Amino acid sequence: MAESNVSPGAAREPRHGVRIASIWFVLSVIADLLIWFVWGPHFPPGNMTSSAASQQLDFKVLAVVAAPVMMLIYVFFLYALVVWRQRDGDEEDGPGELPGAARAQKVWVSVTLMLVLGLFGFGTYQLVVPAGAGAGEGANPVWKPGGGKPLQIQVIGQQWLFTYRYPSYGGFETRQLVLPDNQPVQFDVTSLDVIHSFWAIQLGVKADAVPSVNNVAYTIPRRTGTFTVRCAELCGIWHGAMYNYGRIVPVAAFQSWAQRTEAQSAALTKILPPFSLSYSPNEISDLAKVYTDGGLTGAGGQYYGSSFPAQP
Ligand SMILES: [Cu+2]
């Protein structure tokens, strides 16, 4: 690209453009290979689920596209510092008049246009199709995963904890989030009080929990292990303490856990409001008492207890 900048008087100059391009090309290939094969597999949020893996792919593609652009800037900068610096005793002016660089401009404009439009297309597709980017898609998702009917799990946010209801197992409610491996999961996320955000970090799932709203997010677990759930929306004084750990377990282990928990919490399930996609806080104003009586949380919506001094 820089060749067209060479003035006629400098005919015996080395071909700087070819040199810069060669150094850039070699370094870019090395950087991209390292990013894709060595660094990329460690990018967050990992590959524990389909949505996490799809987000990791997004980061890898972005990094692989960005590295050559950064390399061009660094290589040109260092090349100019080394080759075109002012030498001792060199009092001469630079060329007074530089010829136009139409070719460099055309290449630059078309390459950047292609990069931006390509990323626009890729980003739009990735946002909509694979797991809806792992985000809450509202009550009527535009994308649903294949592979059979998903297991429905309701996520209920309240100050300051998440509880989980399993409608396919009698609608029991628990503070443990357990998912079966290799089976599509549908999270129905809602809240009882203020806006929270259900962020299951390693699952690549993040969905706002809004009172009276059912916000759906899908994912497909790909391997067993533990993951962290955090509230990602400032929701009150104990927002920072609003987290728990979940598990992905083999299907058989999941079924026995679910059946066991369903049986153990039968008495509590009976006094809970019936399973619904959202709950009106007005209708369940006595839920704190229900939870406390059932021993579910220690205090429904008041995890730290009503005697806790920092209760608003
Ligand atoms: Cu919260």
Side-chain angles (χ1 to χ4, degrees), residues 50 129 131 143-152 180-186 218-222 251:
S50 57
V129 180
W143 179 91
K144 287 179 188 211
K149 194 180 177 311
L151 171 79
Q152 192 182 17
D181 195 15
N182 276 316
Q183 197 179 310
V185 174
Q186 171 181 337
Y218 295 105
T219 196
I220 307 170
R222 287 204 171 155
V251 173

Side-chain angles (χ1 to χ4, degrees), residues 58 61-63 65-66 113-125:
D58 297 346
V61 168
L62 278 177
V65 170
L113 198 67
M114 267 158 45
L115 284 180
V116 170
L117 291 182
L119 285 176
F120 169 74
F122 176 76
T124 307
Y125 175 83

Side-chain angles (χ1 to χ4, degrees), residues 27-290:
L27 290 180
S28 295
V29 169
I30 293 173
D32 275 353
L33 288 174
L34 285 176
I35 287 170
W36 194 263
F37 292 105
V38 181
W39 193 16
H42 301 285
F43 281 177
N47 56 7
M48 201 173 202
T49 62
S50 57
S51 28
S54 150
Q55 286 158 37
Q56 189 180 71
L57 175 75
D58 297 346
F59 287 130
K60 280 163 78 176
V61 168
L62 278 177
V64 158
V65 170
V69 177
M70 276 170 53
M71 279 300 166
L72 183 61
I73 293 162
Y74 287 135
V75 168
F76 186 83
F77 182 57
L78 286 174
Y79 190 90
L81 273 181
V82 172
V83 177
W84 291 318
R85 73 182 190 275
Q86 188 183 33
R87 319 262 162 191
D88 284 345
D90 178 5
E91 301 291 319
E92 212 181 316
D93 274 347
E97 193 185 299
L98 286 171
R103 194 169 68 156
Q105 286 167 15
K106 278 180 203 155
V107 171
W108 186 250
V109 168
S110 38
V111 168
T112 47
L113 198 67
M114 267 158 45
L115 284 180
V116 170
L117 291 182
L119 285 176
F120 169 74
F122 176 76
T124 307
Y125 175 83
Q126 287 287 95
L127 250 184
V128 177
V129 180
E137 299 179 69
N140 301 299
V142 290
W143 179 91
K144 287 179 188 211
K149 194 180 177 311
L151 171 79
Q152 192 182 17
I153 300 177
Q154 183 172 50
V155 178
I156 305 170
Q158 58 186 296
Q159 289 172 318
W160 288 276
L161 63 100
F162 289 108
T163 53
Y164 308 95
R165 284 191 87 163
Y166 288 75
S168 356
Y169 293 85
F172 72 77
E173 183 163 354
T174 172
R175 295 196 53 211
Q176 298 182 52
L177 179 55
V178 183
L179 311 180
D181 195 15
N182 276 316
Q183 197 179 310
V185 174
Q186 171 181 337
F187 293 110
D188 285 89
V189 183
T190 190
S191 166
L192 298 185
D193 40 42
V194 300
I195 299 175
H196 303 271
S197 178
F198 170 68
W199 183 23
I201 300 171
Q202 293 84 352
L203 303 189
V205 171
K206 195 177 188 191
D208 279 350
V210 182
S212 307
V213 169
N214 173 36
N215 194 8
V216 178
Y218 295 105
T219 196
I220 307 170
R222 287 204 171 155
R223 61 179 170 80
T224 58
T226 58
F227 55 90
T228 309
V229 175
R230 280 201 163 277
C231 180
E233 182 73 57
L234 185 58
C235 60
I237 195 152
W238 289 106
H239 161 71
M242 188 165 165
Y243 66 91
N244 66 275
Y245 301 100
R247 287 181 287 146
I248 298 173
V249 298
V251 173
F254 169 77
Q255 278 163 354
S256 65
W257 169 82
Q259 281 155 8
R260 202 172 57 240
T261 313
E262 181 181 358
Q264 280 169 358
S265 45
L268 174 65
T269 310
K270 226 183 289 170
I271 51 172
L272 284 177
F275 178 80
S276 153
L277 290 176
S278 70
Y279 304 91
S280 162
N282 300 328
E283 288 166 20
I284 51 169
S285 53
D286 57 343
L287 196 61
K289 188 175 178 314
V290 171

